[in-house]
Amino acid sequence: MSTESMPRLIRRSNLVEMVYEAIEDSVRRGELQVGGCQFTEAALCRKYNVSRPTVREALIRLRAKGMPAGRRTDGAYPGASLCKESVGLCHGDLASVDDIRKHVEFRRTMELGAVRHGALNRDAADVDALQAAFQALHEHSDSDRASVEADIMFHMRIARAGGNPVFVSVMESLRPHLLFTMNLSRQFSHPESCARRYAQIESEHCMIMEAIIDGDAQRAQAAMRTHLGNAAVRVLGKMQG
């Protein structure tokens, strides 16, 4: 699909939809292989002659639908509904950039409260569990699928340290969305920047953990605010560009 003949003032939402459908159709017909060298943002931008934000939003929609690992003869995509994996609270699917922004905003508010309570109320057992979660997380490489679950467990340990089960329940309900956005962040990272990105995340986690261990709620919230702000940039990028 070429956009050269498209009207200059075409609405971006329509363009995203066109790119989304074109990628989906190419995957269905086996012309594009998910994870292949032609399935990067840069390659898709060149292929469809569109901007990176347009490609990224199209990929987010595909991922929300359940991006396939290969061609499916029945046209079905596994994992289309995030809610089916959660228990108790249900927050709906992340099917657009706006959905992800709303998730990020909610997560920031909730985790800033959780980390404050964790710093004020943690005990020796919580400290040991948090340190073990940190070590388990950073034993994995950033591309390791197990690192995503370990990252979520680190944040779960922070919620549990506060002694308030509501924080824990909310974190559990957000697990499908956390899996989605963390995997998306890894997919959008350039291979050459992965090591630098992973070192930054490790440093952010370490600052949060040290503040909790020290019982410094203000420092813990500042560290968490920085971490979640950087996480939003890693997954959303310059979406408005």
Side-chain angles (χ1 to χ4, degrees):
M1 180 193 75
S2 173
T3 60
E4 293 180 358
S5 60
M6 293 180 184
R8 179 168 297 185
L9 297 180
I10 188 169
R11 291 179 59 190
R12 178 157 175 256
S13 60
N14 292 341
L15 184 57
V16 170
E17 187 68 23
M18 292 172 69
V19 173
Y20 162 82
E21 291 176 354
I23 295 173
E24 182 181 44
D25 185 58
S26 293
V27 171
R28 286 178 185 274
R29 289 187 280 109
E31 296 175 358
L32 279 176
Q33 182 179 358
V34 178
C37 62
Q38 295 301 312
F39 209 82
T40 64
E41 284 187 14
L44 292 171
C45 286
R46 291 192 297 269
K47 179 177 176 65
Y48 299 115
N49 191 27
V50 293
S51 67
R52 186 178 293 271
T54 297
V55 166
R56 180 168 289 194
E57 184 158 358
L59 290 176
I60 287 172
R61 294 187 185 185
L62 281 168
R63 194 68 181 263
K65 188 173 182 180
M67 191 176 293
R71 188 176 179 180
R72 292 288 297 270
T73 57
D74 59 3
Y77 289 79
S81 177
L82 293 171
C83 279
K84 291 178 181 178
E85 299 179 21
S86 63
V87 177
L89 296 175
C90 184
H91 302 285
D93 293 349
L94 300 181
S96 69
V97 173
D98 188 55
D99 289 342
I100 292 178
R101 285 199 183 93
K102 290 173 181 176
H103 160 75
V104 167
E105 290 169 1
F106 177 79
R107 182 187 173 192
R108 181 186 297 117
T109 300
M110 192 277 296
E111 287 217 68
L112 286 176
V115 77
R116 178 178 182 276
H117 280 267
L120 293 175
N121 299 305
R122 87 282 181 274
D123 58 22
D126 292 320
V127 169
D128 289 343
L130 186 60
Q131 290 176 323
F134 176 84
Q135 183 176 356
L137 168 56
H138 294 289
E139 283 176 349
H140 297 287
S141 68
D142 190 39
S143 60
D144 190 335
R145 291 180 62 182
S147 71
V148 177
E149 284 288 354
D151 198 335
I152 293 173
M153 180 54 67
F154 177 77
H155 285 267
M156 284 295 302
R157 288 298 181 188
I158 293 172
R160 287 175 177 150
N164 186 330
V166 177
F167 282 122
V168 179
S169 296
V170 174
M171 281 295 294
E172 285 286 4
S173 73
L174 289 175
R175 178 182 290 273
H177 288 177
L178 295 172
L179 285 169
F180 179 86
T181 54
M182 288 179 183
N183 279 318
L184 203 63
S185 175
R186 285 157 171 77
Q187 178 183 333
F188 288 162
S189 296
H190 294 290
E192 60 269 21
S193 67
C194 282
R196 182 173 65 254
R197 172 186 175 281
Y198 191 55
Q200 180 184 10
I201 293 172
E202 182 173 4
S203 175
E204 292 168 8
H205 284 154
C206 186
M207 291 178 68
I208 295 169
M209 178 179 67
E210 289 177 349
I212 292 173
I213 292 173
D214 292 344
D216 190 331
Q218 185 174 357
R219 200 168 99 237
Q221 283 191 307
M224 180 65 80
R225 186 177 292 107
T226 296
H227 174 55
L228 295 180
N230 290 338
V233 172
R234 285 188 283 266
V235 70
L236 290 171
K238 297 179 180 179
M239 296 301 300
Q240 299 298 328

